[in-house]
Amino acid sequence: MKYLLTTIILLSGIVVSAQETVTISGKLIDLETKEPLSFSTINIQNTPKGVVANEEGAFDFTFSKTHLTDSIVFSMAGYQSEKIMAQRFE
């Protein structure tokens, strides 16, 4: 099983608005094959809040600042899930 951490090649476009939200934009690809990780999931751990990447592996995920103490989980079948603390994106 591959590790998803090695597949997060682009995580950019972080925006914090006055509305107390954080937006993470990025693209998930396999670093070995350079293929997009189509329909990967990005969610806040232990909540139903999340998004699914498009077929090119691109995503935009907006969440409340109240979740900054939670982990963001990047998942894809066949890959090891990766957790990153949401406060890293503030």
Side-chain angles (χ1 to χ4, degrees), residues 3-65:
Y3 287 94
L4 190 58
L5 178 62
T6 62
T7 63
I8 302 172
I9 192 161
L10 177 64
L11 196 56
S12 64
I14 300 162
V15 177
V16 179
S17 72
Q19 299 165 340
E20 300 299 316
T21 61
V22 177
T23 298
I24 302 170
S25 298
K27 183 175 182 177
L28 300 175
I29 68 168
D30 184 304
L31 289 178
E32 292 177 16
T33 66
K34 307 297 187 226
E35 294 294 318
L37 295 179
S38 303
F39 312 111
S40 301
T41 60
I42 302 92
N43 69 300
I44 297 173
Q45 186 175 12
N46 300 321
T47 75
K49 297 175 185 205
V51 296
V52 175
N54 66 18
E55 70 181 41
E56 284 133 21
F59 67 91
D60 293 309
F61 182 29
T62 301
F63 57 91
S64 168
K65 281 187 166 183

